């Protein structure tokens, strides 16, 4: 357990509104990730961060932006939410064990865009 | 690019039955392989992993062996329980930044 919390856990918003999801970790892990989970697609990477203010795009980054001003917090923003962004969003962090590593996941945020 | 293919579900078994969930992968280099489990309403938990060819990962009665020659990492359990009902994801390390590439998931339901 990497002490990952996500907020809010559930959100309903209207098309065109901005939305920010927060991920908070207590383990001082350098790497953090945002994934979305959709039926029939598994989890897909949206953005990731490899340090404070260091971020990069993942597979499905269009329509999303991220920020990381502190090691413990990684924010995901939908600038103008669309119905296609209705999904469950998971944050994860990376812990290294010698030459191998593991990702730990937060509990998820269920976002509905109406 | 790298990818993971796992058997489609749902899979329904009776308690104490044998479980196999197939997973094959395509990757350049030598990825680490993982099985994650997601119980209803929860996030993903690491179930087991293997970091090199012929490694066997095991946990809670589940096993999977990293087979480089067949590019496979099939999940097995000898006797499933109702509490094993969940969605299982096969994954591999997809890049130098530690990100994972997931299969689509297989939903397992175990009936008493």
């Amino acid at each position: 357990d990497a002490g990952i919390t996500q907020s809010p856990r559930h959100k309903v918003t209207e098309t065109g509104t901005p939305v920010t999801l927060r991920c908070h970790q207590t383990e001082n892990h350098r790497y953090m990730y945002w994934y979305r989970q959709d039926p029939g697609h598994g989890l897909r990477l949206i953005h990731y961060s490899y340090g404070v203010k260091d971020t990069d795009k993942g597979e499905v980054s269009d329509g999303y932006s991220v920020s990381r001003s502190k090691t413990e917090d990684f924010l995901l923003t939908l600038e103008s939410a669309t119905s296609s962004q209705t999904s469950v969003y998971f944050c994860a962090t990376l812990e290294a064990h010698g030459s191998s590593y593991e990702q730990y996941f937060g509990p998820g945020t269920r976002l509905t865009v109406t | 690019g790298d990818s993971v293919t796992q058997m489609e579900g749902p899979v329904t078994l009776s308690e104490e039955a044998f479980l196999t969930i197939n997973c094959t992968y395509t990757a350049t280099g030598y990825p680490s392989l993982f099985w994650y489990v997601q119980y209803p309403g929860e996030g993903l938990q690491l179930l087991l992993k293997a970091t090199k060819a012929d490694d066997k990962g095991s946990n809670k009665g589940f096993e999977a062996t990293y087979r480089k020659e067949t590019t496979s990492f099939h999940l097995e359990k000898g006797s499933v329980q109702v509490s094993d009902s969940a969605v299982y994801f096969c994954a591999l390390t997809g890049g130098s930044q530690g990100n994972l590439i997931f299969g689509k998931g297989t939903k397992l339901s175990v009936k008493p």
Side-chain angles (χ1 to χ4, degrees), chain B residues 58-71:
Chain B
S58 61
N59 186 26
K60 300 180 181 180
F62 291 90
E63 293 182 341
T65 301
Y66 190 150
R67 301 286 188 199
K68 188 167 180 287
E69 64 276 13
T70 55
T71 61

Side-chain angles (χ1 to χ4, degrees), chain A residues 99-101, chain B residues 30-34 49-52 66 91-94 100:
Chain A
S99 60
S100 71
Y101 41 87
Chain B
Y30 305 96
S32 293
L33 301 174
F34 305 84
K49 69 176 182 180
T51 58
K52 61 182 187 296
Y66 190 150
L92 60 80
T93 47
L100 294 173

